[in-house]
Amino acid sequence: LTREIVLKMIKMAELRDPKETGSHVNRVAGYSVVLYQEWAKREGIPEEEIRRQSDILRIAAMLHDVGKVAISDLILKKPGRLTDGEYEEMKAHTYLGARLFSEPKSDFEQAALDVVLNHHERWDGKGYPGHIDVKTGLPLPGFEAGDGRPRPKKGEEIPLLGRIVAIADVYDALLSKRVYKESWDESDTVKEIERCAGSQFDPRLVGVFLESLPSLRQITMRYQE
């Protein structure tokens, strides 16, 4: 029942955002599971736990942009690049979506919270939304930046599942055509992910990504638009 409700939430997000297609969320979920499984094998995680966490992550990753249902259609459906002001509004989709899971009562809800809130954080601490109270949109006590905004998370402050979905989401976004850009070819996309190791992305996970490319390509082919 929970799975069916979650899948309907994903369809609701797809109705609002023309970029949030079923193929996109399935690819991001598939990439994320591959990256997690390869990371977990390196870490010696028991096989039973890997399978359990993979099932949880697959659905959580599909919800990564669910907060966009709270963003204006004027921004979501704009046929071109966003202005700086519009981009600031768009950033709110992270903590607005996280409100759905702000009091997690299961491992799935905790995973969804970690993914939805953190998939735009950066390893170097230049991402968003940072250490934020998802209920108010204000900085958590003690985590105010100099401009009054929440201090961004960095490094391992970012939950593992958020770091994984960050790579999966960008990989798919670069490979996909948008109204404001053409799709990138795979070689350029891989070079960009590799270039951003240690800045945008967890460098160890980028290593896992590079070793997982054959499996990632299969997912790209399986869920074509």
Side-chain angles (χ1 to χ4, degrees):
L1 177 62
T2 298
R3 183 182 178 87
E4 288 304 313
I5 291 172
V6 168
L7 292 175
K8 291 185 187 303
M9 290 170 64
I10 293 165
K11 287 186 178 294
M12 177 177 65
E14 183 179 345
L15 289 172
R16 289 292 320 283
D17 184 357
K19 299 185 293 297
E20 201 68 10
T21 65
S23 297
H24 166 68
V25 297
N26 275 295
R27 288 193 300 268
V28 170
Y31 300 150
S32 297
V33 168
V34 168
L35 296 177
Y36 167 73
Q37 289 176 342
E38 291 304 313
W39 172 88
K41 289 174 186 175
R42 291 185 178 191
E43 295 295 310
I45 306 296
E47 190 64 34
E48 183 178 343
E49 174 62 15
I50 293 175
R51 286 196 298 270
R52 189 186 74 86
Q53 190 67 22
S54 295
D55 289 342
I56 291 171
L57 174 57
R58 185 178 300 278
I59 300 299
M62 293 176 78
L63 285 166
H64 66 282
D65 276 339
V66 69
K68 287 183 177 179
V69 298
I71 304 300
S72 166
D73 277 352
L74 296 176
I75 294 175
L76 283 181
K77 299 179 180 178
K78 182 178 179 179
R81 287 190 175 276
L82 302 179
T83 66
D84 290 346
E86 290 167 339
Y87 182 54
E88 286 300 315
E89 289 187 48
M90 178 66 87
K91 287 180 179 179
H93 80 274
T94 50
Y95 67 84
L96 293 175
R99 286 179 183 173
L100 295 169
F101 311 103
S102 61
E103 297 178 359
K105 296 180 175 62
S106 67
D107 290 344
F108 162 70
E109 290 190 359
Q110 183 62 58
L113 175 62
D114 289 347
V115 166
V116 173
L117 184 61
N118 296 289
H119 69 285
H120 285 294
E121 298 288 357
R122 290 174 51 114
W123 185 256
D124 60 7
K126 296 180 180 178
Y128 65 89
H131 294 274
I132 195 169
D133 183 331
V134 299
K135 293 181 179 179
T136 65
L138 299 174
L140 289 170
F143 288 100
E144 300 87 353
D147 58 3
R149 298 184 183 186
R151 178 174 69 76
K153 297 171 186 173
K154 65 184 298 184
E156 293 189 359
E157 291 180 334
I158 307 164
L160 172 66
L161 300 188
R163 304 197 313 262
I164 287 173
V165 175
I167 295 175
D169 191 29
V170 170
Y171 179 62
D172 194 65
L174 293 177
L175 289 174
S176 302
K177 183 176 180 178
R178 296 286 185 258
V179 292
Y180 53 84
K181 77 168 189 70
E182 293 298 319
S183 59
W184 289 30
D185 64 41
E186 192 203 35
S187 62
D188 288 339
T189 299
V190 171
K191 287 176 184 176
E192 179 66 9
I193 299 290
E194 191 171 13
R195 185 186 70 82
C196 293
S199 56
Q200 187 168 355
F201 305 123
D202 178 340
R204 290 185 63 208
L205 286 175
V206 171
V208 172
F209 164 83
L210 294 172
E211 293 185 8
S212 303
L213 285 170
S215 297
L216 300 180
R217 292 185 188 112
Q218 291 179 9
I219 292 166
T220 303
M221 294 298 296
R222 187 182 310 157
Y223 296 110
Q224 297 185 52
E225 296 292 348

